[in-house]
């Protein structure tokens, strides 16, 4: 197949992309328009929790599409209730609102916290978020994010998101005033370069929130649904947040996200929240299939085994090449480079012949790994061996 320039020109230019068109995928492998195969460690940006086109997801979407696609969010549908029951059963939350993207789920979390502040905290509305955090690309979630420069791109910002430093409790405490309603964070900062909040920090935040009558909101859009080796990353530190958002992996690749809240915090009145596609049976049926695969006996054990294998292999590579180690939780990991050749490594891995490999460098001195949660032991071995070859080539 030829690369179609006119097709490229018809798309709004929002980022630089390689001149490749991906035409099919299976498991951890993607194939481009020339028939070249790639070991995919990006997986649609950590969304394909079960890899490309897993049979159970294909079946769920196909069956549901033939049955009922969208009766309207004003009516109940079976898959949305099935998925909500599964999520409340597996977590500390009692109520679920389904959304279409992580940013939209986070908007919902912000609205819910502000509504709770109006009802219970005298109109308090400020939500303390963190430097370098990422919560999405709507105006409010960009304002909540701590990405450098984002305070200026579409100024003025949505007000009310003072920024603290991750793993620095005093920096959070110092921002609390009588207008503060919540603290919101990613248990592992993903886009910032896979920086985990420590277990102690998560526990201390819970206590700080309790002591000051604040809500604790975890943005688990990237860390939720098995990514860290637990179903939800907050479970790593044994705390009970008040609100959680899910996205990415929950749909296994299709647009699905969720706002999860404890009963006491579920204070939306009729009309406060909604959306045309929200909770539609086509996407929530996909979510049920993904959830059941992740909850099957042994699935998370395998995630943890692959995570240990990947961590050990990355540490070995770091030692061999004089890099700065690795970090992460579960199958969300990063290799810290000793120089800014991350983008060169990503390009060389993709262009490798005859088979390529897709990696991500969220920062020039760091590689991020977010494989399918069901990546095999052999595929992790291949990833590590190929990465070693690529680094040798780039650094020769
Ligand atoms: C990706 C991401 C989002 C945004 O999700 P979208 O589906 O792209 O809107 C929000 N928070 C975190 C932590 C993310 O990783």
């Amino acid at each position: 197949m030829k690369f179609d320039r006119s097709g490229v020109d018809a798309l709004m230019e929002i980022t630089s992309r390689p001149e490749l068109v991906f035409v099919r995928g299976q498991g951890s492998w993607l194939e481009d328009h020339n028939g070249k195969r790639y070991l995919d460690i990006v997986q649609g940006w950590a969304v394909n929790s079960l890899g490309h086109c897993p049979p159970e997801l294909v079946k769920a979407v196909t069956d549901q599409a033939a049955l009922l696609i969208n009766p309207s969010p004003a009516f109940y549908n079976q898959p949305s209730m099935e998925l909500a029951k599964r999520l409340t059963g597996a977590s500390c939350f009692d109520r679920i609102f389904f959304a279409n993207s992580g940013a939209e789920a986070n908007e919902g979390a912000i609205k819910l916290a502000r509504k709770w502040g109006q009802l219970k905290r005298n109109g308090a509305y400020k939500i303390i978020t963190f430097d370098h955090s990422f919560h999405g690309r709507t105006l409010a979630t960009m304002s909540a994010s701590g990405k450098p420069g984002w305070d200026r791109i579409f100024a003025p910002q949505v007000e009310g998101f003072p920024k603290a430093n991750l793993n620095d409790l005093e920096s959070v405490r110092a921002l609390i005033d009588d207008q503060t309603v919540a603290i919101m964070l990613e248990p592992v900062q993903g886009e910032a370069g896979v920086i985990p909040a420590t277990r102690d920090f998560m526990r201390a935040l819970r206590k700080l929130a309790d002591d000051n009558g604040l809500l604790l909101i975890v943005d688990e859009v990237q860390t939720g649904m098995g990514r860290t080796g637990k179903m939800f990353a907050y479970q790593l530190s044994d705390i009970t947040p008040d609100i959680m958002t899910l996205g990415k992996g929950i749909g296994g690749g299709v647009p699905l996200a969720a706002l999860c809240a404890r009963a006491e915090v579920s204070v939306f009145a009729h009309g406060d929240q909604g959306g045309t596609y929200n909770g539609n049976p086509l996407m929530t049926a996909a979510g049920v299939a993904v959830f059941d695969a992740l909850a099957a006996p042994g699935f998370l054990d395998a995630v943890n085994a692959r995570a240990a294998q990947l961590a050990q292999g990355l540490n070995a590579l770091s030692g061999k090449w004089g890099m700065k180690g690795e970090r992460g939780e579960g199958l969300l990991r990063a290799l810290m480079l000793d120089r800014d050749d991350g983008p060169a490594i990503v390009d060389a891995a993709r262009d490798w012949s005859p088979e390529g490999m897709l990696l991500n460098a969220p920062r020039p001195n760091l590689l991020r790994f977010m494989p399918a949660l069901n990546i095999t032991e052999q595929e992790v071995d291949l990833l590590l061996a190929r990465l070693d070859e690529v680094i040798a080539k780039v650094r020769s």
Side-chain angles (χ1 to χ4, degrees), residues 33-115:
H33 64 295
N34 292 314
K36 179 177 165 182
R37 281 164 36 96
Y38 301 77
L39 180 62
D40 184 6
I41 309 302
V42 174
Q43 285 291 353
W45 233 257
V47 303
N48 304 320
S49 28
L50 304 175
H52 292 282
C53 303
E56 57 270 63
L57 181 57
V58 172
K59 179 167 185 338
V61 172
T62 313
D63 289 354
Q64 188 60 45
L67 204 57
L68 177 65
I69 292 178
N70 200 348
S72 148
F75 301 114
Y76 293 119
N77 73 74
Q78 204 58 39
S80 69
M81 293 190 286
E82 289 297 328
L83 183 55
K85 279 193 291 184
R86 281 162 169 76
L87 293 173
T88 57
S91 71
C92 63
F93 303 99
D94 310 297
R95 306 278 185 269
I96 312 293
F97 171 79
F98 291 110
N100 308 296
S101 70
E104 190 194 4
N106 283 335
E107 284 273 342
I110 293 163
K111 286 165 67 176
L112 189 60
R114 286 189 174 194
K115 177 85 188 198

Side-chain angles (χ1 to χ4, degrees), residues 45-47 100-106 133-138 141 145 184-191 219-223 245-248 255-257 332 368:
W45 233 257
V47 303
N100 308 296
S101 70
E104 190 194 4
N106 283 335
S133 62
F134 181 83
H135 298 296
R137 293 177 173 279
T138 61
T141 56
S145 298
M184 175 170 174
L185 82 163
E186 303 157 82
V188 181
Q189 287 191 339
E191 302 305 307
D219 174 350
E220 296 229 23
V221 170
Q222 192 156 148
T223 57
T245 54
L246 297 169
K248 295 203 165 87
L256 178 66
L332 179 58
R368 176 170 50 170

Side-chain angles (χ1 to χ4, degrees), residues 41-42 45 191 342 346 358-362 366-370:
I41 309 302
V42 174
W45 233 257
E191 302 305 307
V346 168
L358 301 179
L359 298 172
N360 166 246
L366 184 134
L367 296 174
R368 176 170 50 170
F369 303 84
M370 36 190 175

Side-chain angles (χ1 to χ4, degrees), residues 128-133 163-173 183-189 192 194-205 208 237 327 329:
I128 298 172
T129 58
F130 289 83
D131 244 4
H132 299 289
S133 62
K163 304 288 182 304
N165 301 318
L166 193 70
N167 294 325
D168 174 356
L169 193 68
E170 288 316 309
S171 75
V172 184
R173 195 194 308 276
I183 303 165
M184 175 170 174
L185 82 163
E186 303 157 82
V188 181
Q189 287 191 339
V194 191
I195 307 172
T198 66
R199 311 277 201 271
D200 284 348
F201 185 66
M202 294 295 283
R203 291 186 196 115
L205 277 187
L208 187 66
S237 44
R327 69 182 170 216
E329 299 276 13

